[in-house]
Amino acid sequence: MKKYWIVFQQSFQNEFVYRLNFILWRFRNVLRILMTYFLWHSVFSSNSNVFGYSKEQMMAYVFLVLLVTSFVMSAPSNDNVGGEISNGTLNNFLVKPISYLSYWLTRDWASKLLNMLFAVFEFSLLWFLFKPQIYFSQSPTQLLLGIFLTIISALIYFVITKLAISVAFWTPENTWGFMFIILVFMDVLAGSIFPLDLLPKSVMTFLQFTPFPYMIYYPIAILVGRVDLITALKILLQSMAMLGFWYYVVMKVWKKGLKNYAAVGI
Amino acid sequence: MKTFRVIVRFSANSLQQVLSNVPVFLLFFFSKLVRYGLFLLFLILLFNGVTSVMGYSREQMLMFYLIYNLIDTTAQLMFREVYRFRPLIVSGGFDAVLTKPFSPIIRSLFGGPDFIDFGVLLIIVATTIYVANTYIHPSWLQIILFLAMIINSLLIAAAFHILVLGIGIITFSVDHLVMIFRDLTALMRIPVDMFTNPIRSILTFVIPVGIMFTYPAKVLFGLLSWQLVVVSFVFGGLSLYLSLKFWHYSLRQYQSASS
């Protein structure tokens, strides 16, 4: 455990090496939220209730997207693991007494911590600039459930993206293609632009069986009180089952991938 | 004529490169279609719950989004080589570009068009024509002005990419600047009118993405005054002129340090 703590500390420090890059990255995250904010702001300028959402609930949803996205989707592993498989530097890790996936999970969490610190600052700044009225769930239990689900969402995100990247074991010249399509689906179906309960019920029921709504939509829906406590608990159990299933799949695929791995890039 | 022939050669090379890996081409092509399709679906669903947004109807909102994609995809198709400029500068490979009897700016802008975007562009154009024809019914004058505004938008896009190249020569860094431009343009998936001031004014007159993406659509709807049409063309010409000035300035700063 101690070695991962050292990896965590070093990765956190490492994030400060390219400060300008990091600040520009955070600036880009704020820009992305602006479109969603102003779209919904315009929608509510002539409507008081849209799809059962009050303006306060929707504004809370939009603002929480910034925080939840910063936490769940900050993952430097996405930019590195594929390359390390294809160019053969994965060898360095295979000979060390460290789990490669745990190593990158630790690095991701160091990045998440820094991104969250910035996201809280950005959240406060945007709130100060736009002064939206925000509504959160009044139940502390539900808020805790929402936070817990966000942590599980980050793990689901890690597992799914590593599964997509493991394609590199079989096609080292194409490490990004499959990942790109997963990110495209996540872009809309995770709920970062709109709450997914706008979708027809049948589509929403289907999406429950995919990992996408667990990444952003469900945690925020619980935090803003869109679902009751019993439903929130049900979602939490579903998300844990989802994590368990995809973890099993990624471990199987990773094992097969390692057998196929020939360090061709070396 | 020589410039045109060389650009055709660049395009042919780029097309060959894309076709050398058809599965990857199809994967990216499909992904891009899904991305555009899902946002279109969202806009359609949104109007199941509301009748208008800031006075714009569902069809007008769809047109804003389609025209955004039309301009954005065309710019990406044409100026994709800018994304590969940094390695050229860092490695010193730009020296070889400068020594050839061909304009380095044309080479740096048009050296590698992206043909994955070409397939997507055809579908966007067809959809835009269909929606405009079925729901908007623009006059011939509006269509001609719209096409002129599209060319103007591409001039502004070219100006920005030239600015990025110039900054790349001076600072060795391009990647984040291009991506920030992409994020700024992505704001224009909705009309610039939806932003409150001062953000609206900044997005229209400081970083003229509003002129690039919202104004052509408004011309097509007949919602833009002739004064603003003139202002748009002035912005287009001026931004290109200033970016070329900056390009020449940055070339004088180039020290070929990496070669």
Side-chain angles (χ1 to χ4, degrees), chain A residues 10-46:
Chain A
Q10 287 184 340
S11 298
F12 190 75
Q13 287 170 16
N14 204 32
E15 295 283 335
F16 291 96
V17 175
Y18 302 102
R19 286 183 292 272
L20 181 63
N21 268 0
F22 184 80
I23 288 166
L24 290 174
W25 157 249
R26 289 310 314 169
F27 178 61
R28 292 183 56 202
N29 277 282
V30 174
L31 283 180
R32 284 176 199 165
I33 292 296
L34 284 183
M35 189 218 75
T36 320
Y37 172 78
F38 281 106
L39 174 62
W40 287 111
H41 183 263
S42 306
V43 169
F44 278 97
S45 65
S46 51

Side-chain angles (χ1 to χ4, degrees), chain A residues 68 72-73 146 148-157 160 189-191 196 204-220 222 231-232 234-243 246:
Chain A
V68 174
V72 174
M73 297 188 174
F148 187 53
L149 182 58
T150 310
I151 294 169
I152 294 181
S153 304
L155 293 171
I156 296 176
Y157 179 79
I160 293 293
L189 297 181
L196 296 180
M204 194 54 213
T205 309
F206 169 75
L207 280 178
Q208 275 188 63
F209 297 101
T210 71
F212 302 118
Y214 298 90
M215 310 241 182
I216 294 176
Y217 170 67
Y218 280 139
I220 300 182
I222 293 173
T231 316
K234 194 181 129 214
I235 291 168
L236 188 67
L237 287 176
Q238 282 175 214
S239 69
M240 288 162 91
M242 185 67 67
L243 175 62
W246 288 109

Side-chain angles (χ1 to χ4, degrees), chain B residues 10-56:
Chain B
F10 285 147
S11 307
N13 291 349
S14 188
L15 183 63
Q16 278 180 352
Q17 205 175 349
V18 166
L19 292 177
S20 68
N21 198 339
V22 175
V24 171
F25 166 76
L26 289 175
L27 193 68
F28 278 97
F29 177 71
F30 174 68
S31 305
K32 287 191 175 199
L33 282 186
V34 169
R35 174 182 279 171
Y36 298 146
L38 285 174
F39 196 84
L40 268 180
L41 184 72
F42 159 63
L43 287 178
I44 292 166
L45 283 171
L46 179 64
F47 279 87
N48 287 341
V50 298
T51 47
S52 72
V53 179
M54 290 275 286
Y56 290 118

Side-chain angles (χ1 to χ4, degrees), chain A residues 10 37 60 90-91 94 145 153 182 191-192 212 243 250:
Chain A
Q10 287 184 340
Y37 172 78
L90 176 63
N91 287 6
L94 296 179
L145 275 179
S153 304
I182 295 281
S192 59
F212 302 118
L243 175 62
V250 82

Side-chain angles (χ1 to χ4, degrees), chain A residues 48-80:
Chain A
S48 58
N49 194 295
V50 180
F51 296 102
Y53 276 85
S54 65
K55 188 176 180 182
E56 291 76 20
Q57 266 183 325
M58 189 57 84
M59 289 303 135
Y61 188 95
V62 171
F63 271 67
L64 279 174
V65 166
L66 178 66
L67 287 181
V68 174
T69 309
S70 297
F71 183 74
V72 174
M73 297 188 174
S74 305
S77 59
N78 290 350
D79 301 325
N80 293 282

Side-chain angles (χ1 to χ4, degrees), chain A residues 34-266:
Chain A
L34 284 183
M35 189 218 75
T36 320
Y37 172 78
F38 281 106
L39 174 62
W40 287 111
H41 183 263
S42 306
V43 169
F44 278 97
S45 65
S46 51
N47 301 278
S48 58
N49 194 295
V50 180
F51 296 102
Y53 276 85
S54 65
K55 188 176 180 182
E56 291 76 20
Q57 266 183 325
M58 189 57 84
M59 289 303 135
Y61 188 95
V62 171
F63 271 67
L64 279 174
V65 166
L66 178 66
L67 287 181
V68 174
T69 309
S70 297
F71 183 74
V72 174
M73 297 188 174
S74 305
S77 59
N78 290 350
D79 301 325
N80 293 282
V81 172
E84 287 180 344
I85 295 170
S86 62
N87 65 26
T89 39
L90 176 63
N91 287 6
N92 291 336
F93 295 90
L94 296 179
V95 294
K96 285 177 185 161
I98 192 168
S99 155
Y100 182 67
L101 287 178
S102 303
Y103 165 82
W104 271 112
L105 181 64
T106 312
R107 290 199 63 175
D108 281 0
W109 282 73
S111 171
K112 283 179 202 304
L113 175 64
L114 188 62
N115 273 282
M116 269 308 280
L117 293 174
F118 271 76
V120 168
F121 168 72
E122 291 150 11
F123 184 98
S124 315
L125 186 70
L126 289 175
W127 188 83
F128 177 75
L129 285 174
F130 300 128
K131 295 191 174 59
Q133 290 199 310
I134 288 178
Y135 175 86
F136 288 107
S137 167
Q138 301 300 304
S139 154
T141 319
Q142 207 154 328
L143 290 175
L144 280 175
L145 275 179
I147 292 168
F148 187 53
L149 182 58
T150 310
I151 294 169
I152 294 181
S153 304
L155 293 171
I156 296 176
Y157 179 79
F158 179 80
V159 168
I160 293 293
T161 49
K162 295 307 108 21
L163 183 65
I165 287 175
S166 58
V167 165
F169 281 119
W170 290 272
T171 56
E173 73 284 356
N174 173 30
T175 58
W176 189 241
F178 197 53
M179 183 74 188
F180 184 71
I181 198 162
I182 295 281
L183 291 179
V184 163
F185 277 106
M186 268 182 208
D187 210 24
V188 178
L189 297 181
S192 59
I193 296 174
F194 60 92
L196 296 180
D197 50 359
L198 263 67
L199 293 167
K201 208 164 179 221
S202 54
V203 178
M204 194 54 213
T205 309
F206 169 75
L207 280 178
Q208 275 188 63
F209 297 101
T210 71
F212 302 118
Y214 298 90
M215 310 241 182
I216 294 176
Y217 170 67
Y218 280 139
I220 300 182
I222 293 173
L223 289 169
V224 300
R226 278 294 287 180
V227 293
D228 56 38
L229 195 60
I230 302 294
T231 316
L233 277 168
K234 194 181 129 214
I235 291 168
L236 188 67
L237 287 176
Q238 282 175 214
S239 69
M240 288 162 91
M242 185 67 67
L243 175 62
F245 172 74
W246 288 109
Y247 175 74
Y248 175 77
V249 173
V250 82
M251 291 317 282
K252 280 272 173 199
V253 171
W254 198 261
K255 221 170 169 179
K256 274 190 181 294
L258 279 177
K259 279 186 183 160
N260 197 60
Y261 176 66
V264 285
I266 292 285

